[in-house]
Amino acid sequence: MNVLPTAPLRELAHQVGFDLVGFARAEPIPPESLLSWVAAGYAADMDWMGERAAERLDVSILLPGARTVISFANNYWRDDAASVDSPIARYARGRDYHSTLRDRMKAFRKTLSLRYPELGTYGGVDSGPMMEKVWAARAGLGYVGKNGCFITESHGSWVLLATLILDAEVDDYGAGPAADRCGACRRCLMSCPTGALVGNGRVDARACLSYQTIENRERQVPEAFRVKFDNLVFGCDICQEVCPLNRRPVFADHARFEPRAVAALGAVELAALTPEQYQELIPGTALARARYDGLRRNAAYALGVAKQASARGVLEKLSGDASELVRTAALWALSQLEP
Ligand code: B12
Ligand code: SF4
Ligand code: SF4
């Protein structure tokens, strides 16, 4: 296979809708950061993080003969008035980003395979066993901040990543990770309500509200974390909102990132969602990962934390819900309301 020229690949990436693109050599990743993170228990019960560690650390297991990793990023920040107070993290307010970035990567690969029919590729968005922030750093798109998020010069950390492995070399690999711009700042560390940022850009998922609201969806959330569900029902953006490098966000002017109707709802409406409303509002968004009961559990906690007396009616109804998860959360929330 010939060495591929990067200039037309960059152009193609922009044509299919990516904001940023970069190229890295497909060299193995030093195992220390992933293995010590898993060994410390920071992966919580996300067993898949450790189970496929070999692939995460060496992309040639995923694609034999791998030579290049392309990292793509999409800005998603919006400030639409209807969703400004949403208890849903910004990345999840529009159409599910997995399908948006996958569709863009599919279009990229389609043209690539027409141009280079022999080329082997392997792609993923989030759920693939690849360390996407490491590849984005190696590809020169930015660096991992103390908040554990990947920060770019142009769009701050309000970007989502997609990753594509090629079994061919390219003609320009760029300069590698961008300089760390955190300096002496510690805002994210001071602002994280649960102390989940444990240093060097590492996140203890067990304490992270993003994990607790999204991944830990079948059990009650430990009380120490539940009491931090302050207008927070799905995901958490606190360590990004406080970051000075996010002060000049760019509006993501694309319908796919436009907040959907669900992003106009508050915790009361989310707690009261009927199965029919859930079916109408949630499929096709990233919120589906929390499932019906997980979402209502989170919303019940948020109402308890807000001590919102007007929520008593909906919480009383949920305290008789068919789901034990929801019933228990609602009873706890009721116990938090003023008498
Ligand atoms: C597991 C996971 C989580 C976990 C753990 C978070 C974490 N930071 O590890 C939980 C559930 C908590 C989570 C939460 C969120 N997540 Co998440 N998550 C992932 C996932 C699947 C794997 C991350 C991982 O490998 N972690 C293990 C640690 C050890 O690796 P790491 O995060 O890369 O960090 C180390 C290395 O980067 C290394 N390092 C740093 N620089 C360099 C440079 C080089 C050259 C090398 C070799 C290494 C290195 O140091 C870091 C610390 O050890 C990725 C998708 C993917 N497949 O990569 C999405 C991903 C990281 N998540 C994403 C998002 C959007 C989020 C949330 C913002 C969602 C939300 N609003 O609620 C939060 C942010 C929480 C936070 N402060 O990080 C985006 C990140 C976008 C961005 N700009 O950073 C990703 C990339 C998904 C995507 N495709 O867009 N997530
Ligand atoms: S996402 Fe929220 S809970 Fe997780 S590290 Fe950031 S501020 Fe802390
Ligand atoms: S808040 Fe400060 S320390 Fe945290 S990621 Fe942003 S610049 Fe770095």
Side-chain angles (χ1 to χ4, degrees):
M1 176 65 63
N2 296 333
V3 172
L4 313 186
T6 47
L9 297 183
R10 285 184 183 280
E11 201 184 313
L12 178 60
H14 293 303
Q15 265 169 24
V16 302
F18 289 115
D19 294 306
L20 301 173
V21 57
F23 303 84
R25 288 187 194 282
E27 288 161 357
I29 295 172
E32 164 62 17
S33 63
L34 177 62
L35 298 188
S36 65
W37 184 79
V38 172
Y42 295 155
D45 66 352
M46 296 183 290
D47 297 337
W48 61 90
M49 291 299 302
E51 279 161 6
R52 301 190 71 185
E55 284 110 311
R56 285 178 199 279
L57 296 170
D58 183 359
V59 292
S60 70
I61 301 176
L62 298 169
L63 181 72
R67 292 279 177 279
T68 302
V69 178
I70 309 186
S71 179
F72 303 103
N74 263 133
N75 168 37
Y76 62 94
W77 189 90
R78 312 248 318 186
D79 59 352
D80 306 72
S83 62
V84 84
D85 295 322
S86 174
I88 298 167
R90 290 181 182 280
Y91 83 98
R93 293 177 188 171
R95 180 174 172 169
D96 187 346
Y97 81 91
H98 297 90
S99 56
T100 298
L101 272 69
R102 266 187 212 131
D103 287 352
R104 290 174 179 182
M105 196 154 60
K106 204 167 148 193
F108 183 92
R109 286 168 93 172
K110 197 171 163 195
T111 304
L112 207 59
S113 70
L114 290 173
R115 287 184 196 165
Y116 309 105
E118 307 287 293
L119 184 71
T121 62
Y122 181 102
V125 177
D126 184 45
S127 56
M130 291 177 278
M131 296 188 73
E132 298 198 272
K133 286 182 277 175
V134 174
W135 290 114
R138 283 183 166 178
L141 303 190
Y143 77 101
V144 178
K146 287 181 197 164
N147 62 2
C149 294
F150 188 76
I151 305 179
T152 68
E153 172 102 43
S154 51
H155 299 88
S157 63
W158 303 116
V159 291
L160 296 160
L161 303 175
T163 310
L164 184 66
I165 311 167
L166 311 180
D167 63 3
E169 303 216 339
V170 297
D171 66 358
D172 182 6
Y173 286 101
D180 183 318
R181 291 186 292 139
C182 285
C185 175
R186 290 174 51 82
R187 271 173 197 247
C188 52
L189 303 174
M190 309 300 286
S191 308
C192 173
T194 53
L197 297 170
V198 288
N200 298 326
R202 302 196 330 158
V203 180
D204 180 350
R206 293 170 301 190
C208 180
L209 298 177
S210 179
Y211 167 82
Q212 291 294 348
T213 54
I214 302 170
E215 302 295 336
N216 182 19
R217 53 187 175 255
E218 278 162 17
R219 293 181 299 270
Q220 297 301 321
V221 170
E223 184 143 2
F225 303 138
R226 197 187 293 178
V227 294
K228 305 294 182 184
F229 280 40
D230 185 3
N231 193 36
L232 203 139
V233 172
F234 184 92
C236 172
D237 284 336
I238 296 171
C239 55
Q240 298 190 86
E241 296 288 359
V242 299
C243 177
L245 301 176
N246 276 339
R247 251 181 223 150
R248 276 183 281 283
V250 180
F251 186 81
D253 192 8
H254 194 283
R256 292 235 184 176
F257 293 111
E258 196 179 314
R260 291 199 161 184
V262 67
L265 305 184
V268 177
E269 290 95 346
L270 289 166
L273 274 187
T274 63
E276 295 72 28
Q277 287 168 327
Y278 181 89
Q279 278 313 320
E280 194 187 313
L281 295 171
I282 307 299
T285 73
L287 299 168
R289 187 149 179 92
R291 306 206 190 113
Y292 181 49
D293 293 340
L295 213 53
R296 294 185 305 144
R297 176 205 67 178
N298 293 346
Y301 289 154
L303 293 174
V305 173
K307 303 194 186 304
Q308 213 171 312
S310 58
R312 186 176 292 280
V314 66
L315 288 171
E316 277 171 356
K317 193 161 176 227
L318 290 184
S319 67
D321 195 79
S323 154
E324 200 268 333
L325 186 72
V326 174
R327 276 198 316 271
T328 308
L331 286 170
W332 176 82
L334 281 168
S335 76
Q336 304 299 300
L337 300 187
E338 305 295 342

